[in-house]
Amino acid sequence: MTDCLLPPELIALARRVVEENAALGRKVALAESCTGGLVAAALTEIPGSSAVVDRGFVTYSNEAKQELLGVAADIIDTFGAVSIACAWAMADGALRRSQADVAVAISGVAGPAGGSDQKPVGTVVFARAKRDRTDSEEGDAEERLFPDSGRSGIRLQAALCALELLLP
């Protein structure tokens, strides 16, 4: 795509996500915080994405995470918004509030300020919840650190990781 504002590597991976999920008839939902809708923007750059993208939630504030996704205040108070617990609650909330088969959540510290010793700038957490999971499966969640990447670099790397989680 020559008229795209987004980086080519982001678009290439988004295309794979759309094509592979469309082939399975699978719908996706997103719960984005530090990426601010970047993952949804990449997916919707792809023609035919309406067959795959059900909806996206940009829940940048803690209040939005609670109101739109049903994240419990005690999760945020106890573990913080940038935590596996919060990301899992975001993904689960996006799944419950959509018609999607899989939901991915992203929350992190993109900087340049806001980091701490426990959660330095570049810390990003991800979670994936699937509708067809068994009671014993909680879903996938992980924390990654993208040091010295700058705000845009952290957001790009986070979006790429989220897209990888949406691959079947």
Side-chain angles (χ1 to χ4, degrees):
M1 300 177 83
T2 57
D3 64 343
C4 183
L5 292 172
L6 300 174
E9 66 268 32
L10 191 63
I11 294 304
L13 188 51
R15 183 178 312 285
R16 275 190 61 207
V17 169
V18 169
E19 290 172 354
E20 293 181 26
N21 281 288
L24 296 174
R26 201 168 87 147
K27 293 265 193 187
V28 304
L30 302 153
E32 299 186 64
S33 186
C34 67
T35 50
L38 184 58
V39 180
L43 288 171
T44 57
E45 274 292 313
I46 308 304
S49 59
S50 60
V52 172
V53 178
D54 179 66
R55 66 194 73 191
F57 300 89
V58 177
T59 55
Y60 210 70
S61 70
N62 291 345
E63 294 78 14
K65 290 171 181 66
Q66 293 171 40
E67 292 169 15
L68 295 176
L69 300 172
V71 176
D74 64 337
I75 288 175
I76 294 171
D77 293 343
T78 303
F79 302 104
V82 181
S83 66
I84 295 291
C86 184
W88 166 245
M90 289 170 64
D92 191 54
L95 191 66
R96 292 176 189 276
R97 288 163 170 77
S98 72
Q99 302 302 310
D101 301 295
V102 62
V104 167
I106 311 108
S107 187
V109 185
S116 68
D117 290 341
Q118 296 79 26
K119 296 175 188 174
V121 169
T123 302
V124 183
V125 291
F126 304 89
R128 175 177 55 196
K130 295 180 181 177
R131 190 164 303 282
D132 60 359
R133 69 184 186 263
T134 65
D135 288 340
S136 63
E137 292 179 303
E138 285 194 3
D140 303 309
E142 65 180 288
E143 179 178 308
R144 292 199 184 176
L145 180 62
F146 304 107
D148 305 319
S149 298
R151 184 175 180 84
S152 294
I154 291 165
R155 294 176 74 228
L156 174 59
Q157 291 304 312
L160 289 167
C161 287
L163 286 169
E164 288 173 8
L165 288 170
L166 288 170
L167 289 169

